[in-house]
Amino acid sequence: MATEAYAARNPDEIHTDVLSSSRQACYKARDAFYACLEKESDKKQTEIASKGLLYPAECKASREEFVNHCRASWVKHFDALYCKNKSLKRLLDDKDSRRGGRYGERERV
């Protein structure tokens, strides 16, 4: 309903940030930023992004590109997704290291 009211007020307005070329630029900037995070993961994380994401100063330029090419709501969504996936990976890696064996194997007594 709110969308219909908005469309009725601005019927000829085209939101260029949701067009295919803009989305592709957003995805490219996003991928570059998260690749930088992975590459620089051993550096001290001093910069703060949304959703509690910390990143090193070396990734500041790629973060600015990411923020400039994507909607703010998309940036928050991608940051939350990245943090969730990193937490899940950390949890699974920790669980495997404590288990001491492969899945399905039992210790023989």
Short mmCIF file of all heavy atoms in Angstrom, two decimals, residues 36-106:
data_model
loop_
_atom_site.label_atom_id
_atom_site.label_comp_id
_atom_site.label_asym_id
_atom_site.label_seq_id
_atom_site.Cartn_x
_atom_site.Cartn_y
_atom_site.Cartn_z
N CYS A 36 39.06 -7.82 0.27
CA CYS A 36 40.07 -7.08 1.04
C CYS A 36 40.04 -7.52 2.50
O CYS A 36 41.09 -7.70 3.12
CB CYS A 36 39.84 -5.57 0.91
SG CYS A 36 41.04 -4.58 1.82
N LEU A 37 38.86 -7.69 3.05
CA LEU A 37 38.74 -8.15 4.44
C LEU A 37 39.42 -9.50 4.64
O LEU A 37 40.14 -9.71 5.62
CB LEU A 37 37.28 -8.29 4.85
CG LEU A 37 36.52 -7.05 5.25
CD1 LEU A 37 35.11 -7.42 5.69
CD2 LEU A 37 37.21 -6.29 6.34
N GLU A 38 39.21 -10.40 3.71
CA GLU A 38 39.81 -11.73 3.81
C GLU A 38 41.33 -11.66 3.65
O GLU A 38 42.07 -12.32 4.37
CB GLU A 38 39.22 -12.67 2.75
CG GLU A 38 37.74 -12.96 2.95
CD GLU A 38 37.43 -13.65 4.26
OE1 GLU A 38 38.21 -14.54 4.70
OE2 GLU A 38 36.41 -13.30 4.88
N LYS A 39 41.78 -10.83 2.71
CA LYS A 39 43.22 -10.70 2.44
C LYS A 39 43.95 -10.03 3.61
O LYS A 39 45.05 -10.43 3.95
CB LYS A 39 43.42 -9.88 1.17
CG LYS A 39 44.87 -9.81 0.71
CD LYS A 39 44.99 -9.05 -0.58
CE LYS A 39 45.22 -7.60 -0.21
NZ LYS A 39 45.46 -6.70 -1.29
N GLU A 40 43.32 -9.05 4.23
CA GLU A 40 43.94 -8.28 5.31
C GLU A 40 43.47 -8.74 6.69
O GLU A 40 43.54 -7.99 7.65
CB GLU A 40 43.63 -6.79 5.13
CG GLU A 40 43.99 -6.20 3.80
CD GLU A 40 45.49 -6.10 3.57
OE1 GLU A 40 46.26 -6.21 4.54
OE2 GLU A 40 45.89 -5.90 2.42
N SER A 41 43.00 -9.97 6.80
CA SER A 41 42.42 -10.44 8.06
C SER A 41 43.42 -10.49 9.21
O SER A 41 43.02 -10.44 10.37
CB SER A 41 41.78 -11.81 7.87
OG SER A 41 42.76 -12.75 7.50
N ASP A 42 44.72 -10.56 8.90
CA ASP A 42 45.72 -10.61 9.96
C ASP A 42 46.08 -9.23 10.50
O ASP A 42 46.74 -9.12 11.53
CB ASP A 42 46.98 -11.31 9.45
CG ASP A 42 47.57 -10.64 8.23
OD1 ASP A 42 46.80 -10.04 7.45
OD2 ASP A 42 48.80 -10.70 8.05
N LYS A 43 45.63 -8.17 9.84
CA LYS A 43 45.92 -6.80 10.28
C LYS A 43 44.96 -6.38 11.39
O LYS A 43 43.88 -6.95 11.54
CB LYS A 43 45.77 -5.83 9.11
CG LYS A 43 46.61 -6.19 7.90
CD LYS A 43 47.90 -5.44 7.91
CE LYS A 43 48.83 -5.90 6.82
NZ LYS A 43 48.66 -5.28 5.57
N LYS A 44 45.36 -5.37 12.14
CA LYS A 44 44.51 -4.86 13.22
C LYS A 44 43.29 -4.17 12.64
O LYS A 44 43.40 -3.33 11.75
CB LYS A 44 45.29 -3.88 14.09
CG LYS A 44 44.49 -3.40 15.26
CD LYS A 44 45.30 -2.57 16.21
CE LYS A 44 44.40 -2.16 17.36
NZ LYS A 44 45.09 -1.46 18.39
N GLN A 45 42.13 -4.52 13.15
CA GLN A 45 40.87 -3.97 12.66
C GLN A 45 40.53 -2.72 13.45
O GLN A 45 40.20 -2.79 14.63
CB GLN A 45 39.77 -5.01 12.76
CG GLN A 45 40.08 -6.23 11.94
CD GLN A 45 39.09 -7.34 12.13
OE1 GLN A 45 38.36 -7.37 13.10
NE2 GLN A 45 39.07 -8.27 11.20
N THR A 46 40.62 -1.57 12.80
CA THR A 46 40.46 -0.29 13.48
C THR A 46 39.24 0.49 13.04
O THR A 46 38.82 1.41 13.72
CB THR A 46 41.70 0.59 13.25
OG1 THR A 46 41.87 0.77 11.85
CG2 THR A 46 42.94 -0.04 13.84
N GLU A 47 38.67 0.16 11.89
CA GLU A 47 37.53 0.90 11.35
C GLU A 47 36.23 0.17 11.69
O GLU A 47 36.19 -1.05 11.73
CB GLU A 47 37.66 1.05 9.84
CG GLU A 47 38.99 1.64 9.38
CD GLU A 47 39.23 3.04 9.89
OE1 GLU A 47 38.29 3.85 9.87
OE2 GLU A 47 40.35 3.33 10.32
N ILE A 48 35.17 0.94 11.89
CA ILE A 48 33.88 0.35 12.26
C ILE A 48 32.88 0.55 11.13
O ILE A 48 32.74 1.64 10.60
CB ILE A 48 33.33 1.01 13.54
CG1 ILE A 48 34.31 0.81 14.70
CG2 ILE A 48 31.96 0.44 13.89
CD1 ILE A 48 33.94 1.57 15.94
N ALA A 49 32.20 -0.53 10.76
CA ALA A 49 31.15 -0.49 9.75
C ALA A 49 29.82 -0.79 10.44
O ALA A 49 29.74 -0.85 11.66
CB ALA A 49 31.44 -1.52 8.66
N SER A 50 28.79 -1.00 9.65
CA SER A 50 27.49 -1.31 10.24
C SER A 50 27.46 -2.73 10.78
O SER A 50 28.30 -3.56 10.43
CB SER A 50 26.39 -1.12 9.19
OG SER A 50 26.55 -2.05 8.15
N LYS A 51 26.50 -2.98 11.64
CA LYS A 51 26.27 -4.31 12.23
C LYS A 51 27.46 -4.83 13.03
O LYS A 51 27.68 -6.03 13.14
CB LYS A 51 25.90 -5.34 11.15
CG LYS A 51 24.66 -4.99 10.37
CD LYS A 51 23.45 -5.06 11.24
CE LYS A 51 22.19 -4.81 10.44
NZ LYS A 51 21.01 -4.87 11.24
N GLY A 52 28.29 -3.92 13.56
CA GLY A 52 29.41 -4.33 14.39
C GLY A 52 30.60 -4.87 13.62
O GLY A 52 31.51 -5.43 14.21
N LEU A 53 30.60 -4.72 12.32
CA LEU A 53 31.71 -5.21 11.49
C LEU A 53 32.91 -4.30 11.65
O LEU A 53 32.81 -3.09 11.50
CB LEU A 53 31.27 -5.26 10.03
CG LEU A 53 32.32 -5.68 9.01
CD1 LEU A 53 32.70 -7.14 9.24
CD2 LEU A 53 31.79 -5.51 7.60
N LEU A 54 34.05 -4.89 11.99
CA LEU A 54 35.31 -4.15 12.07
C LEU A 54 36.17 -4.52 10.88
O LEU A 54 36.15 -5.66 10.42
CB LEU A 54 36.04 -4.50 13.36
CG LEU A 54 35.32 -4.16 14.66
CD1 LEU A 54 36.09 -4.72 15.85
CD2 LEU A 54 35.16 -2.67 14.80
N TYR A 55 36.93 -3.55 10.38
CA TYR A 55 37.82 -3.83 9.25
C TYR A 55 39.09 -3.01 9.37
O TYR A 55 39.11 -1.97 10.02
CB TYR A 55 37.10 -3.57 7.92
CG TYR A 55 36.66 -2.15 7.68
CD1 TYR A 55 37.45 -1.28 6.95
CD2 TYR A 55 35.44 -1.68 8.16
CE1 TYR A 55 37.05 0.02 6.72
CE2 TYR A 55 35.03 -0.38 7.93
CZ TYR A 55 35.84 0.46 7.20
OH TYR A 55 35.44 1.76 6.96
N PRO A 56 40.19 -3.49 8.76
CA PRO A 56 41.46 -2.76 8.85
C PRO A 56 41.46 -1.50 7.98
O PRO A 56 40.70 -1.39 7.01
CB PRO A 56 42.49 -3.78 8.35
CG PRO A 56 41.72 -4.75 7.54
CD PRO A 56 40.33 -4.76 8.09
N ALA A 57 42.32 -0.57 8.31
CA ALA A 57 42.42 0.70 7.58
C ALA A 57 42.80 0.48 6.12
O ALA A 57 42.45 1.30 5.26
CB ALA A 57 43.43 1.61 8.26
N GLU A 58 43.47 -0.62 5.81
CA GLU A 58 43.86 -0.91 4.43
C GLU A 58 42.66 -1.12 3.52
O GLU A 58 42.77 -1.00 2.30
CB GLU A 58 44.76 -2.17 4.37
CG GLU A 58 46.13 -1.98 4.95
CD GLU A 58 46.18 -2.08 6.47
OE1 GLU A 58 45.15 -2.38 7.11
OE2 GLU A 58 47.26 -1.84 7.03
N CYS A 59 41.51 -1.42 4.09
CA CYS A 59 40.29 -1.66 3.31
C CYS A 59 39.37 -0.45 3.27
O CYS A 59 38.25 -0.54 2.77
CB CYS A 59 39.54 -2.86 3.88
SG CYS A 59 40.47 -4.40 3.81
N LYS A 60 39.84 0.68 3.77
CA LYS A 60 38.98 1.86 3.86
C LYS A 60 38.53 2.34 2.48
O LYS A 60 37.37 2.70 2.29
CB LYS A 60 39.71 2.98 4.59
CG LYS A 60 38.81 4.07 5.07
CD LYS A 60 39.54 5.01 6.02
CE LYS A 60 38.53 5.89 6.70
NZ LYS A 60 39.12 6.65 7.79
N ALA A 61 39.43 2.35 1.49
CA ALA A 61 39.07 2.81 0.14
C ALA A 61 38.03 1.90 -0.50
O ALA A 61 37.06 2.38 -1.09
CB ALA A 61 40.31 2.88 -0.74
N SER A 62 38.20 0.59 -0.34
CA SER A 62 37.21 -0.33 -0.93
C SER A 62 35.89 -0.24 -0.18
O SER A 62 34.83 -0.41 -0.78
CB SER A 62 37.74 -1.76 -0.96
OG SER A 62 38.03 -2.23 0.32
N ARG A 63 35.93 0.06 1.11
CA ARG A 63 34.69 0.25 1.87
C ARG A 63 33.93 1.48 1.36
O ARG A 63 32.71 1.44 1.20
CB ARG A 63 35.00 0.41 3.37
CG ARG A 63 33.78 0.69 4.23
CD ARG A 63 32.86 -0.49 4.30
NE ARG A 63 31.65 -0.17 5.06
CZ ARG A 63 30.74 -1.06 5.38
NH1 ARG A 63 30.89 -2.32 5.05
NH2 ARG A 63 29.67 -0.69 6.03
N GLU A 64 34.65 2.56 1.10
CA GLU A 64 34.01 3.78 0.58
C GLU A 64 33.38 3.51 -0.79
O GLU A 64 32.27 3.99 -1.06
CB GLU A 64 35.03 4.91 0.50
CG GLU A 64 35.40 5.46 1.85
CD GLU A 64 36.51 6.50 1.80
OE1 GLU A 64 36.93 6.89 0.69
OE2 GLU A 64 36.96 6.91 2.88
N GLU A 65 34.05 2.76 -1.64
CA GLU A 65 33.48 2.39 -2.95
C GLU A 65 32.20 1.59 -2.75
O GLU A 65 31.21 1.83 -3.43
CB GLU A 65 34.49 1.57 -3.76
CG GLU A 65 35.59 2.39 -4.37
CD GLU A 65 35.06 3.28 -5.49
OE1 GLU A 65 34.33 2.79 -6.36
OE2 GLU A 65 35.40 4.47 -5.47
N PHE A 66 32.25 0.64 -1.84
CA PHE A 66 31.10 -0.20 -1.53
C PHE A 66 29.91 0.65 -1.07
O PHE A 66 28.80 0.52 -1.58
CB PHE A 66 31.50 -1.23 -0.47
CG PHE A 66 30.42 -2.13 0.05
CD1 PHE A 66 29.44 -2.65 -0.77
CD2 PHE A 66 30.39 -2.48 1.39
CE1 PHE A 66 28.46 -3.50 -0.28
CE2 PHE A 66 29.42 -3.32 1.89
CZ PHE A 66 28.45 -3.82 1.06
N VAL A 67 30.16 1.55 -0.14
CA VAL A 67 29.10 2.42 0.39
C VAL A 67 28.57 3.36 -0.68
O VAL A 67 27.37 3.63 -0.74
CB VAL A 67 29.61 3.18 1.63
CG1 VAL A 67 28.64 4.25 2.06
CG2 VAL A 67 29.88 2.22 2.78
N ASN A 68 29.44 3.86 -1.55
CA ASN A 68 29.02 4.79 -2.59
C ASN A 68 28.23 4.13 -3.71
O ASN A 68 27.40 4.77 -4.35
CB ASN A 68 30.23 5.51 -3.20
CG ASN A 68 30.84 6.50 -2.23
OD1 ASN A 68 30.17 6.99 -1.33
ND2 ASN A 68 32.11 6.78 -2.40
N HIS A 69 28.47 2.85 -3.97
CA HIS A 69 27.80 2.16 -5.08
C HIS A 69 26.53 1.42 -4.67
O HIS A 69 25.78 0.96 -5.54
CB HIS A 69 28.76 1.18 -5.75
CG HIS A 69 29.73 1.84 -6.67
ND1 HIS A 69 30.94 2.29 -6.24
CD2 HIS A 69 29.64 2.15 -7.98
CE1 HIS A 69 31.58 2.84 -7.25
NE2 HIS A 69 30.81 2.78 -8.32
N CYS A 70 26.28 1.26 -3.37
CA CYS A 70 25.13 0.48 -2.93
C CYS A 70 24.21 1.31 -2.04
O CYS A 70 24.66 2.24 -1.37
CB CYS A 70 25.61 -0.74 -2.13
SG CYS A 70 26.65 -1.88 -3.05
N ARG A 71 22.95 0.93 -2.05
CA ARG A 71 22.00 1.55 -1.12
C ARG A 71 22.42 1.23 0.30
O ARG A 71 22.96 0.16 0.59
CB ARG A 71 20.60 0.98 -1.34
CG ARG A 71 19.90 1.49 -2.54
CD ARG A 71 18.50 0.91 -2.61
NE ARG A 71 17.71 1.66 -3.56
CZ ARG A 71 16.41 1.61 -3.63
NH1 ARG A 71 15.73 0.82 -2.84
NH2 ARG A 71 15.76 2.33 -4.52
N ALA A 72 22.11 2.15 1.22
CA ALA A 72 22.47 1.95 2.63
C ALA A 72 21.84 0.68 3.19
O ALA A 72 22.48 -0.07 3.95
CB ALA A 72 22.06 3.15 3.45
N SER A 73 20.61 0.39 2.80
CA SER A 73 19.95 -0.82 3.30
C SER A 73 20.64 -2.08 2.78
O SER A 73 20.71 -3.09 3.48
CB SER A 73 18.47 -0.82 2.92
OG SER A 73 18.32 -0.79 1.51
N TRP A 74 21.19 -2.00 1.56
CA TRP A 74 21.91 -3.15 1.01
C TRP A 74 23.23 -3.35 1.74
O TRP A 74 23.62 -4.48 2.02
CB TRP A 74 22.16 -2.97 -0.48
CG TRP A 74 20.94 -2.97 -1.33
CD1 TRP A 74 19.64 -3.01 -0.92
CD2 TRP A 74 20.90 -2.89 -2.74
NE1 TRP A 74 18.80 -2.98 -2.00
CE2 TRP A 74 19.55 -2.90 -3.14
CE3 TRP A 74 21.87 -2.79 -3.72
CZ2 TRP A 74 19.15 -2.83 -4.47
CZ3 TRP A 74 21.48 -2.73 -5.04
CH2 TRP A 74 20.13 -2.75 -5.41
N VAL A 75 23.92 -2.25 2.05
CA VAL A 75 25.19 -2.33 2.77
C VAL A 75 24.96 -2.99 4.13
O VAL A 75 25.71 -3.89 4.52
CB VAL A 75 25.82 -0.93 2.93
CG1 VAL A 75 27.02 -0.97 3.86
CG2 VAL A 75 26.23 -0.37 1.57
N LYS A 76 23.94 -2.56 4.85
CA LYS A 76 23.63 -3.16 6.15
C LYS A 76 23.31 -4.64 6.00
O LYS A 76 23.76 -5.47 6.79
CB LYS A 76 22.44 -2.46 6.80
CG LYS A 76 22.77 -1.12 7.38
CD LYS A 76 21.54 -0.53 8.04
CE LYS A 76 21.82 0.85 8.58
NZ LYS A 76 20.62 1.45 9.19
N HIS A 77 22.54 -4.98 4.97
CA HIS A 77 22.18 -6.38 4.73
C HIS A 77 23.42 -7.22 4.44
O HIS A 77 23.61 -8.29 5.03
CB HIS A 77 21.20 -6.48 3.56
CG HIS A 77 20.99 -7.88 3.08
ND1 HIS A 77 20.23 -8.79 3.78
CD2 HIS A 77 21.46 -8.52 1.98
CE1 HIS A 77 20.25 -9.96 3.12
NE2 HIS A 77 20.97 -9.81 2.04
N PHE A 78 24.29 -6.74 3.55
CA PHE A 78 25.50 -7.50 3.20
C PHE A 78 26.44 -7.62 4.39
O PHE A 78 27.06 -8.67 4.60
CB PHE A 78 26.22 -6.86 2.01
CG PHE A 78 25.46 -6.97 0.71
CD1 PHE A 78 25.40 -5.89 -0.16
CD2 PHE A 78 24.81 -8.13 0.34
CE1 PHE A 78 24.71 -5.98 -1.37
CE2 PHE A 78 24.13 -8.24 -0.86
CZ PHE A 78 24.08 -7.16 -1.72
N ASP A 79 26.56 -6.56 5.20
CA ASP A 79 27.40 -6.63 6.39
C ASP A 79 26.86 -7.65 7.38
O ASP A 79 27.62 -8.44 7.95
CB ASP A 79 27.50 -5.26 7.07
CG ASP A 79 28.43 -4.30 6.35
OD1 ASP A 79 29.16 -4.74 5.44
OD2 ASP A 79 28.41 -3.11 6.70
N ALA A 80 25.55 -7.64 7.60
CA ALA A 80 24.94 -8.60 8.52
C ALA A 80 25.14 -10.03 8.02
O ALA A 80 25.46 -10.93 8.81
CB ALA A 80 23.45 -8.30 8.69
N LEU A 81 24.97 -10.24 6.73
CA LEU A 81 25.16 -11.56 6.14
C LEU A 81 26.60 -12.03 6.28
O LEU A 81 26.86 -13.18 6.63
CB LEU A 81 24.75 -11.51 4.66
CG LEU A 81 24.54 -12.82 3.94
CD1 LEU A 81 23.43 -13.62 4.59
CD2 LEU A 81 24.20 -12.55 2.49
N TYR A 82 27.54 -11.13 6.03
CA TYR A 82 28.97 -11.46 6.17
C TYR A 82 29.29 -11.84 7.61
O TYR A 82 29.95 -12.85 7.86
CB TYR A 82 29.83 -10.28 5.71
CG TYR A 82 31.30 -10.53 5.83
CD1 TYR A 82 31.99 -11.23 4.85
CD2 TYR A 82 32.03 -10.08 6.93
CE1 TYR A 82 33.35 -11.47 4.95
CE2 TYR A 82 33.38 -10.31 7.04
CZ TYR A 82 34.03 -11.01 6.06
OH TYR A 82 35.38 -11.25 6.18
N CYS A 83 28.81 -11.04 8.58
CA CYS A 83 29.07 -11.32 9.99
C CYS A 83 28.46 -12.66 10.41
O CYS A 83 29.08 -13.45 11.13
CB CYS A 83 28.53 -10.20 10.87
SG CYS A 83 29.45 -8.66 10.74
N LYS A 84 27.25 -12.92 9.94
CA LYS A 84 26.57 -14.18 10.27
C LYS A 84 27.36 -15.37 9.71
O LYS A 84 27.57 -16.36 10.40
CB LYS A 84 25.16 -14.16 9.70
CG LYS A 84 24.36 -15.40 9.99
CD LYS A 84 22.98 -15.29 9.38
CE LYS A 84 22.71 -16.57 8.66
NZ LYS A 84 21.58 -16.55 7.80
N ASN A 85 27.80 -15.25 8.47
CA ASN A 85 28.55 -16.35 7.85
C ASN A 85 29.90 -16.57 8.53
O ASN A 85 30.33 -17.71 8.70
CB ASN A 85 28.73 -16.10 6.36
CG ASN A 85 27.43 -16.26 5.60
OD1 ASN A 85 26.50 -16.92 6.06
ND2 ASN A 85 27.36 -15.65 4.43
N LYS A 86 30.57 -15.49 8.92
CA LYS A 86 31.85 -15.62 9.62
C LYS A 86 31.65 -16.27 10.98
O LYS A 86 32.44 -17.13 11.38
CB LYS A 86 32.52 -14.25 9.80
CG LYS A 86 33.07 -13.65 8.54
CD LYS A 86 34.17 -14.48 7.93
CE LYS A 86 35.48 -14.17 8.58
NZ LYS A 86 36.60 -14.87 7.95
N SER A 87 30.60 -15.89 11.69
CA SER A 87 30.32 -16.47 13.01
C SER A 87 30.01 -17.96 12.87
O SER A 87 30.49 -18.78 13.66
CB SER A 87 29.14 -15.77 13.67
OG SER A 87 29.45 -14.45 13.96
N LEU A 88 29.21 -18.30 11.87
CA LEU A 88 28.87 -19.70 11.64
C LEU A 88 30.11 -20.51 11.29
O LEU A 88 30.31 -21.60 11.81
CB LEU A 88 27.82 -19.79 10.53
CG LEU A 88 27.27 -21.18 10.24
CD1 LEU A 88 26.58 -21.75 11.48
CD2 LEU A 88 26.30 -21.12 9.09
N LYS A 89 30.95 -19.97 10.44
CA LYS A 89 32.19 -20.67 10.05
C LYS A 89 33.09 -20.86 11.27
O LYS A 89 33.64 -21.94 11.48
CB LYS A 89 32.92 -19.89 8.97
CG LYS A 89 34.16 -20.58 8.45
CD LYS A 89 34.80 -19.78 7.35
CE LYS A 89 36.01 -20.37 6.73
NZ LYS A 89 36.77 -21.32 7.47
N ARG A 90 33.22 -19.83 12.10
CA ARG A 90 34.04 -19.92 13.30
C ARG A 90 33.48 -20.98 14.24
O ARG A 90 34.24 -21.78 14.81
CB ARG A 90 34.07 -18.55 13.99
CG ARG A 90 35.31 -18.28 14.76
CD ARG A 90 35.40 -16.86 15.32
NE ARG A 90 35.10 -15.84 14.34
CZ ARG A 90 34.16 -14.91 14.48
NH1 ARG A 90 33.41 -14.87 15.56
NH2 ARG A 90 33.95 -14.01 13.55
N LEU A 91 32.17 -21.00 14.40
CA LEU A 91 31.52 -21.97 15.26
C LEU A 91 31.75 -23.40 14.75
O LEU A 91 32.10 -24.29 15.52
CB LEU A 91 30.02 -21.69 15.34
CG LEU A 91 29.19 -22.64 16.18
CD1 LEU A 91 29.53 -22.49 17.65
CD2 LEU A 91 27.71 -22.39 15.96
N LEU A 92 31.58 -23.60 13.45
CA LEU A 92 31.77 -24.94 12.88
C LEU A 92 33.23 -25.37 12.94
O LEU A 92 33.53 -26.53 13.23
CB LEU A 92 31.26 -24.98 11.45
CG LEU A 92 29.74 -24.86 11.30
CD1 LEU A 92 29.36 -24.77 9.83
CD2 LEU A 92 29.03 -26.02 11.96
N ASP A 93 34.16 -24.44 12.69
CA ASP A 93 35.58 -24.78 12.78
C ASP A 93 35.96 -25.15 14.21
O ASP A 93 36.69 -26.10 14.44
CB ASP A 93 36.44 -23.61 12.31
CG ASP A 93 36.39 -23.41 10.81
OD1 ASP A 93 35.88 -24.30 10.10
OD2 ASP A 93 36.84 -22.34 10.33
N ASP A 94 35.44 -24.42 15.17
CA ASP A 94 35.71 -24.69 16.57
C ASP A 94 35.13 -26.03 16.98
O ASP A 94 35.76 -26.80 17.69
CB ASP A 94 35.14 -23.57 17.45
CG ASP A 94 35.53 -23.74 18.90
OD1 ASP A 94 36.72 -24.02 19.15
OD2 ASP A 94 34.65 -23.58 19.77
N LYS A 95 33.94 -26.34 16.51
CA LYS A 95 33.28 -27.60 16.84
C LYS A 95 34.08 -28.78 16.28
O LYS A 95 34.26 -29.78 16.95
CB LYS A 95 31.86 -27.59 16.26
CG LYS A 95 30.95 -28.62 16.84
CD LYS A 95 29.55 -28.42 16.27
CE LYS A 95 28.55 -29.30 16.96
NZ LYS A 95 27.21 -29.11 16.45
N ASP A 96 34.58 -28.64 15.04
CA ASP A 96 35.38 -29.71 14.43
C ASP A 96 36.69 -29.92 15.19
O ASP A 96 37.13 -31.05 15.36
CB ASP A 96 35.69 -29.38 12.97
CG ASP A 96 34.49 -29.58 12.06
OD1 ASP A 96 33.53 -30.24 12.50
OD2 ASP A 96 34.52 -29.07 10.93
N SER A 97 37.32 -28.85 15.64
CA SER A 97 38.59 -29.00 16.33
C SER A 97 38.41 -29.66 17.70
O SER A 97 39.30 -30.36 18.16
CB SER A 97 39.29 -27.64 16.49
OG SER A 97 38.56 -26.81 17.35
N ARG A 98 37.28 -29.45 18.35
CA ARG A 98 37.03 -30.09 19.64
C ARG A 98 36.60 -31.54 19.48
O ARG A 98 36.80 -32.33 20.36
CB ARG A 98 35.95 -29.33 20.41
CG ARG A 98 36.51 -28.11 21.08
CD ARG A 98 35.53 -27.54 22.04
NE ARG A 98 34.71 -26.59 21.30
CZ ARG A 98 33.47 -26.28 21.60
NH1 ARG A 98 32.88 -26.84 22.61
NH2 ARG A 98 32.80 -25.40 20.89
N ARG A 99 36.01 -31.84 18.35
CA ARG A 99 35.50 -33.19 18.13
C ARG A 99 36.65 -34.17 18.02
O ARG A 99 36.57 -35.28 18.50
CB ARG A 99 34.64 -33.22 16.88
CG ARG A 99 34.04 -34.57 16.59
CD ARG A 99 33.14 -34.46 15.43
NE ARG A 99 32.06 -33.56 15.81
CZ ARG A 99 30.81 -33.71 15.48
NH1 ARG A 99 30.47 -34.70 14.73
NH2 ARG A 99 29.89 -32.87 15.86
N GLY A 100 37.71 -33.79 17.33
CA GLY A 100 38.87 -34.65 17.23
C GLY A 100 38.81 -35.70 16.14
O GLY A 100 39.74 -36.45 15.94
N GLY A 101 37.75 -35.77 15.42
CA GLY A 101 37.65 -36.76 14.36
C GLY A 101 36.68 -36.30 13.30
O GLY A 101 36.12 -35.22 13.38
N ARG A 102 36.50 -37.15 12.32
CA ARG A 102 35.55 -36.81 11.26
C ARG A 102 34.14 -37.14 11.69
O ARG A 102 33.92 -37.88 12.64
CB ARG A 102 35.90 -37.57 9.99
CG ARG A 102 37.18 -37.06 9.36
CD ARG A 102 37.43 -37.76 8.09
NE ARG A 102 37.91 -39.10 8.43
CZ ARG A 102 38.24 -40.01 7.56
NH1 ARG A 102 38.15 -39.77 6.28
NH2 ARG A 102 38.67 -41.19 7.93
N TYR A 103 33.19 -36.61 10.96
CA TYR A 103 31.79 -36.87 11.26
C TYR A 103 31.52 -38.36 11.14
O TYR A 103 32.00 -39.03 10.24
CB TYR A 103 30.88 -36.14 10.28
CG TYR A 103 30.94 -34.65 10.42
CD1 TYR A 103 31.57 -33.85 9.48
CD2 TYR A 103 30.40 -34.03 11.53
CE1 TYR A 103 31.63 -32.49 9.62
CE2 TYR A 103 30.45 -32.67 11.68
CZ TYR A 103 31.06 -31.90 10.73
OH TYR A 103 31.13 -30.55 10.88
N GLY A 104 30.74 -38.87 12.06
CA GLY A 104 30.32 -40.26 11.99
C GLY A 104 31.28 -41.23 12.64
O GLY A 104 30.95 -42.39 12.84
N GLU A 105 32.48 -40.77 12.98
CA GLU A 105 33.43 -41.66 13.63
C GLU A 105 33.19 -41.63 15.13
O GLU A 105 32.94 -40.59 15.72
CB GLU A 105 34.87 -41.22 13.35
CG GLU A 105 35.32 -41.47 11.95
CD GLU A 105 36.79 -41.10 11.79
OE1 GLU A 105 37.42 -40.67 12.77
OE2 GLU A 105 37.29 -41.27 10.68
N ARG A 106 33.30 -42.76 15.74
CA ARG A 106 33.19 -42.84 17.19
C ARG A 106 34.50 -43.38 17.75
O ARG A 106 35.16 -44.19 17.11
CB ARG A 106 32.06 -43.78 17.60
CG ARG A 106 30.72 -43.25 17.32
CD ARG A 106 29.69 -44.14 17.95
NE ARG A 106 28.38 -43.53 17.80
CZ ARG A 106 27.28 -44.17 18.06
NH1 ARG A 106 27.29 -45.40 18.44
NH2 ARG A 106 26.13 -43.54 17.93
#
